[in-house]
Amino acid sequence: MSGEIIMTYAIAISLLVGAIFALVGAIGLLKFNDSMTRLHAPTKVGTVGIGAFLLASMLHSFTYGEGSMHELLIMAFLFVTAPISANFMAKVNIHRRACDTPPSPPRDDTWSTLNVPEEDKHVSDTAAPSHRI
Amino acid sequence: MSFATQLMDVALIIAFVVAVLAQIMSMIRLVLGPSTGDRILALDTMVVNAIGLIVLLGIAQGVRIYFEVSLIIAMLGFVSTVAYARFVLRGDIIE
């Protein structure tokens, strides 16, 4: 009986931690004023916030049901894929020049992230300035 | 109905409200933009918040079937984020 009460407290604390991180990430996404800065906040929701929710779900199933470790699969998947998608979004920001672009390389013409394929030159030249704020 | 159970129910309600608020906030960022990277980021955050909402629904109802749903949404969200980013970067998804 006492173990069940402790587990219930643990579920409540994990839920509150996840809720705090989800709220902080969303506020950061809304309030920061630079594309690269905005990238920083929501990656915490993906790892800590959802991780705490999944931990609460796992503890809940162990306390009130037969128990399962399935949530670890989602947790591992999110932990592996969050940096990859964040890297892709940072590359998109650099490519669209929504942030400070890196200094030009010493030997080559341009960085490959900033490079535009030859057949898309006319598309990108007209589209890029409208997306700069 | 002990104090611990009441605390868990209140925490569950708070988590639901916060997840919905986070979803609305990222929707506002999706509309505001201003750049393509911000829109991709807002969509990715919305997918992550949707996973959180589904997990919370599973806790509230005490059933196990929501596990598959959240796993599939996690995979789809990652693939769609990478596809969108690749489309912006290269003008094509699979070259």
Side-chain angles (χ1 to χ4, degrees), chain B residues 18-87:
Chain B
V18 162
V20 169
L21 271 180
Q23 193 81 300
I24 291 170
M25 283 179 186
S26 35
M27 221 180 281
I28 292 171
R29 177 50 72 192
L30 178 67
V31 173
L32 286 181
S35 75
T36 319
D38 293 319
R39 295 215 162 85
I40 302 175
L41 180 61
L43 279 173
D44 192 56
T45 314
M46 282 179 73
V47 167
V48 165
N49 282 326
I51 299 168
L53 273 173
I54 291 168
V55 169
L56 289 176
L57 203 62
I59 298 175
Q61 298 185 358
V63 291
R64 311 286 323 139
I65 55 167
Y66 290 112
F67 156 72
E68 280 90 356
V69 181
S70 41
L71 188 58
I72 286 172
I73 288 184
M75 289 175 170
L76 269 180
F78 171 65
V79 169
S80 60
T81 305
V82 170
Y84 196 179
R86 244 192 110 64
F87 180 71

Side-chain angles (χ1 to χ4, degrees), chain A residues 8-9 15 19 26 29-30 35 38 42 50 54 57 60-61 68 70-71 74 77 81 89 91 93 95-96 133, chain B residues 3-4 7 18 22 25-26 29 34-38 41 45 48 52 55-56 59 64 67 70 74-75 78 88-89:
Chain A
T8 312
Y9 277 121
L15 282 173
L29 178 68
L30 201 56
S35 287
R38 277 196 282 269
I50 303 298
L54 290 168
S57 171
H60 187 272
S61 72
S68 73
H70 288 158
E71 280 83 357
I74 308 175
F77 187 80
T81 56
M89 283 180 271
K91 276 164 85 174
N93 281 337
H95 181 74
R96 300 309 292 258
I133 301 291
Chain B
F3 175 70
L7 184 70
V18 162
M25 283 179 186
S26 35
R29 177 50 72 192
S35 75
T36 319
D38 293 319
L41 180 61
T45 314
V48 165
V55 169
L56 289 176
I59 298 175
R64 311 286 323 139
F67 156 72
S70 41
M75 289 175 170
F78 171 65
V88 174
L89 279 174

